[in-house]
């Protein structure tokens, strides 16, 4: 199995695990909104994981109501 494909599957499992673990959401998000935000997060993290110039695992991605927040460090400003 291709390593990149394996990493993508692992990343999807890690990111979608909380969706399966929680039967209800205690915030104001609807289940549909929660799943939409999770799908956006998965797309962003997958794109980072596939990019050889971006250290995708070192970047935290958080999506809330369709707004994506990125948090991490860079080696240089260039």
């Amino acid at each position: 199995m291709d390593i990149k494909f394996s990493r993508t599957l692992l990343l999807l499992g890690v990111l979608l695990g909380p969706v399966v673990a929680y039967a209800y959401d205690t915030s104001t998000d609807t289940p549909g909104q929660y799943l939409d935000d999770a799908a956006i997060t998965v797309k962003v993290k997958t794109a980072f994981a596939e990019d050889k110039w971006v250290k995708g695992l070192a970047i935290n991605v958080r999506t809330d109501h369709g707004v994506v927040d990125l948090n991490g460090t860079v080696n240089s400003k260039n």
Side-chain angles (χ1 to χ4, degrees):
M1 185 180 281
D2 187 36
I3 292 176
K4 188 184 290 187
F5 182 70
S6 298
R7 287 182 183 171
T8 301
L9 285 179
L10 177 64
L11 182 63
L12 287 173
V14 168
L15 291 174
L16 292 178
V19 173
V20 175
Y22 293 104
Y24 64 94
D25 189 347
T26 59
S27 69
T28 59
D29 291 346
T30 64
Q33 180 65 49
Y34 185 78
L35 290 174
D36 289 345
D37 287 346
I40 293 169
T41 300
V42 167
K43 286 180 185 178
V44 172
K45 289 294 279 185
T46 301
F48 284 159
E50 292 175 352
D51 190 321
K52 68 179 184 176
W53 296 104
V54 176
K55 295 179 182 176
L57 298 178
I59 299 173
N60 297 319
V61 180
R62 180 179 171 271
T63 307
D64 188 25
H65 291 90
V67 177
V68 178
D69 293 319
L70 304 176
N71 187 6
T73 58
V74 294
N75 294 331
S76 68
K77 63 181 179 179
N78 295 333

